[in-house]
Amino acid sequence: MSSLLQNILSFLLVYKYVGLFLVAFLSSLGVPLPAGSSTVASAAFASQGYLNIFIVLIVGTTGNILGDLSMYGLSRRYGKQVLRWLHLGRFAESTSLKHIETTENNYSALAIITSRFQDQATAIINMVAGLGRMPFKRFALYAIIGDILQTIFYSSVGYFFAANWQSIYNTIGVFSWIIVFATIIISIFVANNMAKHMMKKNG
Amino acid sequence: MHTHKRFWYTLVVILLGISLCLFLWFIIDLDRLYATGELRPTRGFDRTHQHKQTFSPNQIDSWMTFSYVNYTFSLPPDYLANSLSITDSQYPEISITRYVQNNHLDLATTLEKIRQTVLQFTSPSIKTN
């Protein structure tokens, strides 16, 4: 077990629901914290009766949602300014970024929902959605759906496989990356087909 | 345009390759977990089921707090404090790691003492000299 995860587990045991909320919130904001592991571990503790599983579900979901919306808002408001400040202004105005934004805006449901299952992908998608000025209501809807599904999934793993959650979670981590890559591949294919369709339509 | 297309196709092929490798890894991992019996739910839907799993004192780890250890092994709140002369004001809401750091103790030795103390409580027939 990594020392970061050990520290997080100690943090969760001391601060309980407040700790879980903070980890989920900061992870969605892009801070490299193991939010998925935290949810699984909290549910494992709930399985023993040390925490309440329903409060874990509510707190975990709320932390994720607020973190996602905050990251989206910050990216939307300050994203391009930060990129220019980091001397990445050319990237901010590049056609590559516009293409990624268009793909994500057009196929946002799949990208946003599935990215909730992978900590790093969540932060990236949140940032791109904000940079691309995706409509807030659409982003919020898909983020909420994805966060609810993600919390239920990881909580179930922790709750029902309590004694073996660490072994199961490592395998789940591999599975979440498969989902992310599959989503990217599908998005590329669909975007490519859409571009062909638009070219035909415009003659 | 042709170069642009080739770039995306190459990217897709690479991602497909990585996905395939991950999928194989996932299947092999699942198979291993099933073979070792770890892929087996340890908690059911039945809310009346005894929810505290049987933990061994050897499973006590440094990231655990004294509060969690007390709860897991149904220890009296002050048992570990009295047995190990713990005077830290944060007890029991302090992790074993943090306690060891605060008091400049050896982690391995302290962990072993805690495990033995818990073992004495859970199996009182075992006496240590």
Side-chain angles (χ1 to χ4, degrees):
Chain A
M1 190 189 296
S2 71
S3 59
L4 173 62
L5 183 56
Q6 289 193 9
N7 288 330
I8 293 291
L9 291 177
S10 299
F11 182 73
L12 289 174
L13 286 175
V14 173
Y15 296 105
K16 301 181 178 64
Y17 305 111
V18 172
L20 176 61
F21 176 85
L22 282 174
V23 171
F25 178 79
L26 292 173
S27 174
S28 295
L29 220 47
V31 178
L33 294 173
S37 299
S38 303
T39 306
V40 171
S42 299
F45 298 148
S47 172
Q48 298 173 272
Y50 193 72
L51 297 175
N52 182 296
I53 186 62
F54 298 108
I55 301 178
V56 165
L57 283 168
I58 292 169
V59 167
T61 305
T62 306
N64 281 323
I65 291 171
L66 290 179
D68 289 339
L69 299 183
S70 299
M71 182 64 163
Y72 165 88
L74 287 170
S75 292
R76 187 174 175 136
R77 178 70 182 83
Y78 301 108
K80 289 195 176 168
Q81 282 172 262
V82 170
L83 284 176
R84 286 191 200 101
W85 183 72
L86 291 171
H87 303 289
L88 293 170
R90 284 175 67 182
F91 174 70
E93 307 302 335
S94 70
T95 51
S96 300
L97 179 60
K98 284 184 172 44
H99 185 71
I100 293 170
E101 288 166 2
T102 307
T103 305
E104 196 188 314
N105 283 342
N106 290 330
Y107 305 98
S108 49
L110 187 64
I112 294 171
I113 291 172
T114 57
S115 65
R116 304 303 102 177
F117 288 80
Q118 216 296 321
D119 296 332
Q120 288 79 27
T122 297
I124 293 169
I125 293 291
N126 290 349
M127 212 169 4
V128 174
L131 279 170
R133 307 186 79 79
M134 178 185 292
F136 171 74
K137 281 184 186 172
R138 189 200 294 179
F139 173 80
L141 174 67
Y142 296 141
I144 289 169
I145 291 171
D147 286 331
I148 290 172
L149 291 174
Q150 178 249 57
T151 307
I152 290 174
F153 176 70
Y154 284 126
S155 295
S156 301
V157 170
Y159 192 75
F160 293 114
F161 295 95
N164 307 318
W165 72 267
Q166 290 173 52
S167 307
I168 307 288
Y169 183 75
N170 290 335
T171 305
I172 297 293
V174 173
F175 180 68
S176 68
W177 276 111
I178 295 173
I179 294 176
V180 170
F181 284 132
T183 304
I184 295 172
I185 292 168
I186 292 169
S187 298
I188 291 172
F189 270 119
V190 173
N192 200 35
N193 284 338
M194 175 141 178
K196 282 183 190 168
H197 177 74
M198 291 298 288
M199 279 172 63
K200 273 187 192 168
K201 201 176 170 185
N202 296 332
Chain B
M1 189 68 167
H2 184 68
T3 312
H4 185 77
K5 234 185 190 175
R6 189 185 281 182
F7 167 74
W8 286 113
Y9 281 136
T10 308
L11 182 63
V12 165
V13 168
I14 291 171
L15 288 175
L16 271 173
I18 294 171
S19 300
L20 186 64
C21 292
L22 286 174
F23 185 70
L24 286 172
W25 180 2
F26 176 65
I27 296 297
I28 291 168
D29 240 7
L30 273 185
D31 191 50
R32 178 187 59 79
L33 288 172
Y34 187 75
T36 56
E38 287 177 300
L39 194 66
R40 181 177 46 84
T42 52
R43 174 71 162 99
F45 282 106
D46 182 8
R47 291 175 66 84
T48 60
H49 176 71
Q50 173 64 34
H51 55 239
K52 278 194 196 175
Q53 291 104 34
T54 308
F55 278 107
S56 153
N58 287 330
Q59 289 177 284
I60 295 174
D61 210 337
S62 58
W63 54 265
M64 297 179 183
T65 60
F66 289 100
S67 169
Y68 181 68
V69 172
N70 289 342
Y71 176 84
T72 304
F73 294 96
S74 303
L75 305 174
D78 293 328
Y79 174 73
L80 285 176
N82 293 334
S83 303
L84 299 170
S85 305
I86 298 173
T87 54
D88 200 304
S89 59
Q90 290 178 283
Y91 178 91
E93 298 296 347
I94 183 172
S95 68
I96 295 171
T97 304
R98 179 58 60 91
Y99 167 72
V100 159
Q101 285 169 354
N102 289 351
N103 294 276
H104 309 291
L105 301 171
D106 178 65
L107 178 61
T109 309
T110 306
L111 211 45
E112 188 54 34
K113 275 187 190 170
I114 294 170
R115 289 170 182 159
Q116 287 301 321
T117 307
V118 171
L119 188 61
Q120 275 185 291
F121 183 87
T122 56
S123 307
S125 58
I126 296 172
K127 302 265 186 240
T128 53
N129 293 322

